[in-house]
Amino acid sequence: MRNLKLTFEYDGTHFWGYQRQRAGRTVQGELEAVLSTITNSPVTLFSAGRTDSGVHSAGQVANFKTETCLAEPVLLKGINSLLPRDIALQSIEEVSDDFHARFSALSRCYEYRIYNSLRKTVFNRLYALHIPQSLEREAMSEACEYLIGERDFSSFRAIGDVSTHSFRRMIKAGGRSQGEVFVLFFEANAFLQHMIRIIVGTLLAVGRGNMTIAEFREIVLACDRSKAGPTAPPHPLCLTNVRYFE
Amino acid sequence: MRNLKLTFEYDGTHFWGYQRQRAGRTVQGELEAVLSTITNSPVTLFSAGRTDSGVHSAGQVANFKTETCLAEPVLLKGINSLLPRDIALQSIEEVSDDFHARFSALSRCYEYRIYNSLRKTVFNRLYALHIPQSLEREAMSEACEYLIGERDFSSFRAIGDVSTHSFRRMIKAGGRSQGEVFVLFFEANAFLQHMIRIIVGTLLAVGRGNMTIAEFREIVLACDRSKAGPTAPPHPLCLTNVRYFE
């Protein structure tokens, strides 16, 4: 059996999330269907991240075991030609038998894009949150520093999350400006359900001047979902990269 | 009566073209409906360009006469809040009574975006044509020079076009690279129906090495639609700007 690692991107707009479901169009479902066709055998994917409905990816990773003899370049071209236009396979490579896209991952990197301008525009509406009011970007970036480290992230955990515990290790968190777009970035070993979206919903209160950095820190330490802000919308969120040992 | 000039952008993906029709969602139709609501009176727009179904704009211009007393900043905010997310009003200003968005225009500027890379990507699929095969960009840019000047553009005119004549003045035409994206740009006093898309369909033959620059020039001079290439798809085309006397 070969173990194949896939790296791919998708536009989450028209998917009911990443994970396969009984009904509804999902990224995993579409990809597994194409892989089953091309390898002529049922395929089950193991995936690094299960993104919410509406969330995009520029570097999702998954792997599957297969008996196919087709070479990687042939698979890459064939899979891309069968995939819909909103999923694109970037690379495919054979990896060692013990590689597991989910359990071997060291960290996941996400970006949340805020279009911070008075001017309405149509061209980034699927990939950025429009906030006309000027945000205090430095305060938001500074608040992010209190997220870094091994912590209990209960304050930023969806009510329905079924994770066994709420400790995660945040490796990077901050903000960077690209003109009118303010990008919040997060890298952690793993994330709780809705964790980034709740963090962003809370950071926006800081950016709007409705919450001090000290108050944000208290919320991080409180381990109480009811203290944090609302869950920000999914469409400005993108899984940009998953890291593994080389 | 005040004469108001609007500058606005739209994503053409979900419109049946610019021009109002009896049935089907159009940019003009949506905009006139919002203007009629906010001014409390029926509005008819005069517009600089009537873009095809699927074509975008980053700088369409229109004007209308109105009795409304609302100030421009109030109108700008109100109109944008009522418009759907795929139309955005950039500016509104009062102009002299004889300004007519269509007849006063000196020229229209368009761009056609080609994503020229082996790699499939999802994020520009609504705004660029994906050509995996490497194009001879310099030959395409050079061929464009034969389009410049006051000419009969019959070779690049849709069969159903009802213009009274096929002479147009091409002011600029060429290509510029933005990494993997190759942008063809065109500025003319006006364009025939499908003119840019037929020109691009013909230039692509040059870029693929299937047509020489000399052959392209012969097609320009032939004034015969059957000699030119196919009509390229609409979604990579964008009306970027309309010029007027200051």
Side-chain angles (χ1 to χ4, degrees):
Chain A
M1 293 282 268
R2 293 160 78 196
N3 189 13
L4 295 178
K5 176 188 175 190
L6 309 172
T7 306
F8 52 101
E9 57 182 47
Y10 48 86
D11 180 323
T13 309
H14 300 296
F15 290 105
W16 291 25
Y18 180 78
Q19 195 170 19
R20 186 184 353 99
Q21 298 176 16
R22 264 180 228 122
R25 182 174 184 260
T26 65
V27 179
Q28 186 184 5
E30 295 285 321
L31 195 49
E32 286 180 346
V34 167
L35 295 171
S36 302
T37 300
I38 211 156
T39 64
N40 201 23
S41 179
V43 165
T44 301
L45 282 174
F46 304 104
S47 310
R50 287 166 291 176
T51 53
D52 294 339
S53 179
V55 174
H56 317 287
S57 176
Q60 173 72 283
V61 177
N63 73 295
F64 70 105
K65 308 282 176 102
T66 178
E67 303 277 12
T68 187
C69 310
L70 294 170
E72 287 87 333
V74 175
L75 285 168
L76 180 67
K77 201 166 178 182
I79 293 165
N80 268 330
S81 71
L82 292 175
L83 281 174
R85 280 163 53 89
D86 48 2
I87 307 179
L89 186 59
Q90 295 169 331
S91 67
I92 183 163
E93 53 179 320
E94 193 162 345
V95 286
S96 65
D97 191 56
D98 61 350
F99 175 86
H100 189 291
R102 181 172 170 201
F103 298 120
S104 309
L106 296 176
S107 70
R108 284 87 177 159
C109 306
Y110 282 87
E111 287 184 358
Y112 197 98
R113 300 176 74 79
I114 299 166
Y115 171 62
N116 189 20
S117 168
L118 266 177
R119 205 174 81 84
K120 182 180 173 184
T121 183
V122 301
F123 294 112
N124 66 11
R125 73 191 188 288
L126 301 179
Y127 309 110
L129 181 68
H130 184 201
I131 306 254
Q133 177 194 351
S134 181
L135 293 172
E136 295 172 27
R137 301 185 187 191
E138 287 201 16
M140 292 171 75
S141 302
E142 204 180 321
C144 283
E145 291 175 23
Y146 293 107
L147 297 166
I148 292 170
E150 179 94 24
R151 304 182 169 280
D152 181 341
F153 282 99
S154 299
S155 291
F156 307 108
R157 176 184 189 164
I159 300 296
D161 185 20
V162 295
S163 311
T164 50
H165 68 86
S166 50
F167 280 83
R168 295 293 184 270
R169 188 167 44 84
M170 187 75 80
I171 299 158
K172 283 182 191 162
R176 71 167 174 275
S177 289
Q178 298 176 345
E180 291 173 313
V181 176
F182 183 52
V183 181
L184 291 165
F185 55 88
F186 304 94
E187 178 178 358
N189 67 324
F191 290 90
L192 299 164
Q193 196 188 357
H194 294 179
M195 178 170 150
I196 296 173
R197 292 166 56 195
I198 300 169
I199 288 173
V200 171
T202 313
L203 285 171
L204 284 171
V206 175
R208 287 176 168 129
N210 297 332
M211 184 187 289
T212 65
I213 296 171
E215 285 166 342
F216 181 83
R217 180 168 178 254
E218 280 164 29
I219 290 169
V220 177
L221 300 174
C223 296
D224 178 354
R225 172 67 185 92
S226 71
K227 298 275 194 289
T231 308
H235 72 274
L237 184 59
C238 183
L239 168 62
T240 53
N241 188 25
V242 185
R243 289 190 204 277
Y244 297 91
F245 274 120
E246 285 314 303
Chain B
M1 292 283 269
R2 293 160 77 196
N3 189 12
L4 294 178
K5 176 188 175 191
L6 308 173
T7 306
F8 51 101
E9 57 182 45
Y10 48 87
D11 180 324
T13 309
H14 300 295
F15 289 105
W16 290 27
Y18 180 79
Q19 197 171 18
R20 185 178 0 95
Q21 298 176 16
R22 264 179 230 122
R25 182 175 184 260
T26 65
V27 179
Q28 186 183 4
E30 295 284 321
L31 195 50
E32 286 179 346
V34 167
L35 294 171
S36 301
T37 300
I38 211 155
T39 64
N40 202 23
S41 178
V43 164
T44 301
L45 283 174
F46 304 104
S47 309
R50 285 166 293 177
T51 54
D52 294 339
S53 179
V55 173
H56 317 288
S57 175
Q60 173 73 282
V61 177
N63 72 295
F64 70 106
K65 308 281 174 102
T66 179
E67 302 277 9
T68 187
C69 310
L70 294 170
E72 288 88 333
V74 175
L75 285 167
L76 180 67
K77 201 166 179 183
I79 293 165
N80 268 330
S81 71
L82 292 174
L83 280 173
R85 280 162 54 89
D86 48 1
I87 308 178
L89 185 60
Q90 296 169 332
S91 67
I92 182 163
E93 53 179 318
E94 192 161 345
V95 287
S96 64
D97 191 57
D98 60 350
F99 175 87
H100 189 290
R102 181 172 170 201
F103 298 120
S104 309
L106 295 176
S107 70
R108 284 86 176 160
C109 306
Y110 282 87
E111 288 184 358
Y112 197 97
R113 300 176 75 79
I114 299 166
Y115 171 62
N116 190 19
S117 167
L118 267 176
R119 203 174 83 85
K120 182 180 174 183
T121 184
V122 301
F123 294 111
N124 66 12
R125 72 189 189 289
L126 301 179
Y127 309 110
L129 182 67
H130 184 201
I131 307 256
Q133 180 194 349
S134 181
L135 293 172
E136 294 174 27
R137 301 185 188 190
E138 287 201 18
M140 292 171 75
S141 302
E142 202 180 320
C144 282
E145 290 175 24
Y146 292 107
L147 298 166
I148 291 170
E150 179 94 23
R151 304 184 168 279
D152 181 341
F153 282 98
S154 299
S155 291
F156 307 108
R157 175 184 189 164
I159 299 297
D161 185 21
V162 294
S163 311
T164 50
H165 69 86
S166 51
F167 280 84
R168 296 292 183 270
R169 187 167 45 84
M170 187 75 81
I171 300 158
K172 284 182 190 164
R176 72 167 174 272
S177 289
Q178 298 175 345
E180 291 174 311
V181 177
F182 184 52
V183 182
L184 292 164
F185 55 87
F186 305 93
E187 178 177 357
N189 67 324
F191 291 90
L192 299 163
Q193 195 188 359
H194 295 180
M195 179 170 151
I196 296 175
R197 293 167 55 193
I198 300 169
I199 289 174
V200 171
T202 312
L203 284 171
L204 283 171
V206 175
R208 287 176 168 129
N210 298 331
M211 184 187 289
T212 65
I213 296 172
E215 284 165 343
F216 181 85
R217 178 167 180 256
E218 280 164 29
I219 291 169
V220 177
L221 299 174
C223 296
D224 178 353
R225 172 67 186 92
S226 71
K227 298 275 194 290
T231 308
H235 72 274
L237 184 58
C238 184
L239 168 61
T240 53
N241 190 22
V242 184
R243 289 189 205 276
Y244 296 91
F245 274 120
E246 287 313 304

